[in-house]
């Protein structure tokens, strides 16, 4: 448990500073929600012995937010695809030198999810397919080298709405990943937030915290 209220003030200050830095024109509620979720993942990841793929995931999460200012859907989805791969390697507890391919990784994740988290797996697999669609697009590969390079460097001039839509994609994925963590790795959360139950409750939505408590009780 957080013993002093000033810890909440410190956490709130961190959230507000982050929101100000990323400067995305969407609802304050959504910005706070995503920031809390990132802090949640950061604490879980850094509490583990092997943090390689977890740190890669954190880097991708932050880079996706940064890319919202670069006007390129393709770059966003390239990093999004990387974030999905790294999240699956993290969930599957793979080591840095592991050479498991993506198809095998998806099968491993499917087995981990089982029936209980089948919807999580279906969502993740579909999002990965969407990311691959942007990353592997070769519609203009018949162009000469100069034209092909110029085309690949083209920006999309995203509207504010398109930027918010991409931010919502990241938000939705983080929510689904957090939900999956509760379903299949709830003890990781319990370990990461040992004696910090109030902090965890502050970072999660009410429904997610309730689900966490339910799954934790099943494991004990």
């Amino acid at each position: 448990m957080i013993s002093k209220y000033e810890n909440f003030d410190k956490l709130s200050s961190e959230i507000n500073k982050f929101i100000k830095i990323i400067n995305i024109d969407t609802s304050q509620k959504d910005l706070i929600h995503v920031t809390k979720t990132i802090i949640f993942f950061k604490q879980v990841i850094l509490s583990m012995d092997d943090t390689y793929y977890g740190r890669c995931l954190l880097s991708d999460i932050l880079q996706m937010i940064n890319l919202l200012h670069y006007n390129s859907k393709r770059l966003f989805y390239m990093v999004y695809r990387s974030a999905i791969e790294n999240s699956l390697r993290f969930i599957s507890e793979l080591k840095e030198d592991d050479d498991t391919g993506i198809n095998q990784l998806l099968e491993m994740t499917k087995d981990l999810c089982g029936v209980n988290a089948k919807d999580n797996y279906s969502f993740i697999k579909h999002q990965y397919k969407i990311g691959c669609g942007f990353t592997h697009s070769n519609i203009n590969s018949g162009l000469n080298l100069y034209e092909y390079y110029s085309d690949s460097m083209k920006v999309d001039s995203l509207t504010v709405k398109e930027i918010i839509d991409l931010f919502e994609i990241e938000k939705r994925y983080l929510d689904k990943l957090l939900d999956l963590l509760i379903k299949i790795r709830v003890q990781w959360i319990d370990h990461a937030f040992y004696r910090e139950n109030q902090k965890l409750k502050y970072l999660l939505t009410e429904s997610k915290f309730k689900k966490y408590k339910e799954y934790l009780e099943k494991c004990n």
Side-chain angles (χ1 to χ4, degrees), residues 112-162:
L112 274 173
C113 290
V115 176
N116 188 42
K118 185 178 179 180
D119 64 320
N120 299 77
Y121 172 74
S122 297
F123 174 82
I124 289 170
K125 186 177 181 181
H126 180 64
Q127 291 300 300
Y128 186 78
K129 183 178 179 180
I130 292 173
C132 286
F134 279 88
T135 302
H136 294 156
S137 175
N138 61 357
I139 192 168
N140 293 322
S141 59
L143 301 173
N144 64 44
L145 185 60
Y146 170 79
E147 291 172 324
Y148 186 62
Y149 178 75
S150 297
D151 183 75
S152 69
M153 297 300 291
K154 201 174 353 182
V155 296
D156 304 319
S157 298
L158 302 178
T159 65
V160 171
K161 182 183 182 305
E162 287 173 322

Side-chain angles (χ1 to χ4, degrees), residues 67-74 76 155-164 166:
L67 284 171
L68 294 177
H69 299 288
Y70 279 77
N71 283 335
S72 176
K73 277 187 181 180
R74 185 168 184 268
F76 175 88
V155 296
D156 304 319
S157 298
L158 302 178
T159 65
V160 171
K161 182 183 182 305
E162 287 173 322
I163 291 172
I164 293 172
L166 291 177

Side-chain angles (χ1 to χ4, degrees), residues 99-115:
D99 59 356
T100 300
I102 184 59
N103 290 330
Q104 186 181 349
L105 181 60
L106 285 168
E107 285 300 313
M108 289 170 61
T109 306
K110 184 178 181 181
D111 290 340
L112 274 173
C113 290
V115 176

Side-chain angles (χ1 to χ4, degrees), residues 192-207:
F193 289 90
Y194 179 65
R195 292 186 176 178
E196 290 191 306
N197 204 47
Q198 292 300 314
K199 180 180 182 181
L200 179 59
K201 189 173 183 180
Y202 175 72
L203 293 176
L204 300 183
T205 62
E206 186 176 341
S207 60

Side-chain angles (χ1 to χ4, degrees), residues 17-37:
K17 286 178 181 178
F18 183 74
I19 289 172
K20 187 175 181 180
I21 289 172
I22 62 176
N23 189 29
I24 297 172
D25 189 17
T26 189
S27 76
Q28 188 79 356
K29 181 181 177 181
D30 284 346
L31 289 168
I32 291 172
H33 177 81
V34 168
T35 306
K36 284 183 176 182
T37 305

